[in-house]
């Protein structure tokens, strides 16, 4: 028997002002996007913003539906929209922010499992890491170096090709 140990490093900031200007602006766009979310059922407003290689920021937010699970998460809205608008362009980073109407989330909220899997597909397609910036309502920020760091031992096209 062998053991596998996974070590993950994240950056932790007290606020977005501690980050570089580009990432701080990206985080601010994710907050703006959350304010426009359609979340009448969960009252959980999520915004995501994608920074493209040309410097453009494309944002999205969660879109709920009474017929659960027909809605879509903010991260998937943003990344699908970015890919539709700029097919073949690389994504430099993604920022995520969440807030509730009835409760406060003190810690930054991370992408759900489905979003992690979808985001990983884009990271794998472009062959470079996509940093993930997660901002909390209290200003605290977590930065993961890549999507794959949020989803270690992930399922992907490698398995579909029989490990080749």
């Amino acid at each position: 028997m062998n053991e596998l140990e996974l070590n993950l490093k994240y950056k932790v900031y007290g606020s977005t002002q501690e980050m570089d200007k580009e990432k701080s602006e990206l985080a601010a766009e994710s907050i703006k996007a959350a304010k426009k979310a359609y979340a009448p059922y969960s009252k959980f407003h999520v915004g995501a913003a994608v920074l493209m290689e040309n410097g453009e920021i494309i944002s999205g937010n969660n879109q709920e539906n009474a017929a659960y699970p027909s809605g879509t998460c903010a991260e998937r809205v943003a990344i699908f929209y970015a890919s539709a608008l700029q097919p073949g362009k690389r994504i430099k980073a993604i920022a995520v922010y969440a807030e509730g109407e009835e409760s406060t989330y003190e810690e930054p909220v991370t992408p759900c499992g489905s979003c992690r899997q979808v985001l990983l597909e884009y990271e794998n397609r472009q062959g470079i890491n996509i940093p993930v910036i997660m901002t909390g309502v209290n200003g605290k920020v977590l930065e993961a170096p890549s999507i794959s760091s949020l989803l270690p031992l992930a399922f992907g096209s490698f398995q579909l090709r029989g490990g080749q």
Side-chain angles (χ1 to χ4, degrees):
M1 180 196 78
N2 293 318
E3 284 189 14
L4 174 64
E5 182 176 325
L6 300 174
N7 293 305
L8 306 173
K9 290 186 179 182
Y10 297 87
K11 293 179 182 175
V12 181
Y13 301 96
S15 74
T16 58
Q17 281 69 42
E18 294 177 19
M19 301 184 327
D20 67 45
K21 183 180 179 202
E22 191 174 56
K23 289 180 180 175
S24 181
E25 288 174 1
L26 185 64
E29 288 300 317
S30 70
I31 294 168
K32 286 180 192 174
K35 306 290 184 200
K36 300 180 224 173
Y38 179 68
Y41 308 107
S42 71
K43 304 198 183 324
F44 183 68
H45 297 252
V46 183
V50 176
L51 175 62
M52 304 302 291
E53 65 184 345
N54 64 1
E56 186 176 345
I57 295 176
I58 299 170
S59 61
N61 45 45
N62 57 319
Q63 299 294 309
E64 293 183 349
N65 190 290
Y68 277 97
S70 296
T72 305
C73 297
E75 298 92 329
R76 286 183 273 162
V77 168
I79 204 150
F80 291 157
Y81 187 39
S83 182
L85 285 176
Q86 298 185 20
K89 300 287 186 203
R90 288 189 169 176
I91 297 163
K92 288 179 65 176
I94 185 168
V96 180
Y97 171 81
E99 65 184 20
E101 288 178 28
E102 299 171 350
S103 60
T104 303
Y105 306 94
E106 291 300 319
E107 293 295 315
V109 175
T110 64
C112 72
S114 292
C115 286
R116 291 176 193 211
Q117 186 67 45
V118 168
L119 294 170
L120 183 64
E121 184 77 14
Y122 284 82
E123 184 173 87
N124 289 341
R125 278 175 50 187
Q126 69 183 30
I128 60 169
N129 290 342
I130 299 173
V132 185
I133 299 156
M134 299 155 282
T135 307
V137 294
N138 64 359
K140 181 179 176 182
V141 181
L142 293 177
E143 182 182 340
S146 65
I147 305 296
S148 59
S149 67
L150 294 178
L151 192 60
L153 305 175
F155 178 82
S157 61
F158 181 75
Q159 285 81 12
L160 293 175
R161 293 190 308 262
Q164 299 178 19

